[in-house]
Amino acid sequence: MIPLLLAAALSGEVDAASLRQRIESHRGQPVVVTFWATWCAPCVKEFPDLVALATRRRDVAFVSVSIDDKEDVVALERFVAQRKPPFPVYRKADGKDSDFIDGVDPAWSGVVPASLVYGADGKRSAILQGEHTPSEIEKALGEPAR
């Protein structure tokens, strides 16, 4: 019963095509897509900052994608349930990592943590690869909408 309760915290799985659809569904507002994993120390360190930024920047849609393997889904569910982010958290669907990375954006090396920032027009405006701060994401986003 507990795994079912924890599973409710995840928003499901995404492949590159369904992630693009989710980004497109937010057309008209900026979008930040973060890629991370529970086994990645810089990712875990950065996660509370993303939660705080998403809480502060309600004008921005945040989408989070964990690259944790299926075998790590219990740890992922527990992580998300404990932190209760104000944005959807998906797990990368099973499949070749290279297909996912190239399908998301060939300019992304596949390193985590990473954040891809999209403008309100749906075009990618920045890729932040490796450790980065909320202020770097803010800079990529530009001024908040008023």
Side-chain angles (χ1 to χ4, degrees), residues 34-45:
T34 62
F35 298 94
W36 63 284
T38 58
W39 47 260
C40 165
C43 301
V44 171
K45 176 183 163 195

Side-chain angles (χ1 to χ4, degrees), residues 17 24 44-45 53 70 81 96 102 110 112 121 123 133 137:
E24 184 62 32
V44 171
K45 176 183 163 195
L53 181 59
K70 187 178 256 178
K96 287 180 64 178
D102 290 342
V112 291
D121 61 0
K123 294 181 181 174
T133 64
I137 296 173

Side-chain angles (χ1 to χ4, degrees), residues 69-107:
D69 291 327
K70 187 178 256 178
E71 297 79 31
D72 300 322
V73 75
V74 172
L76 173 60
E77 290 168 344
R78 187 173 296 119
F79 182 93
V80 173
Q82 289 172 345
R83 285 153 182 87
K84 298 175 180 58
F87 45 75
V89 176
Y90 299 92
R91 189 180 75 80
K92 180 188 95 50
D94 295 333
K96 287 180 64 178
D97 290 342
S98 59
D99 290 344
F100 179 76
I101 293 163
D102 290 342
V104 168
D105 193 317

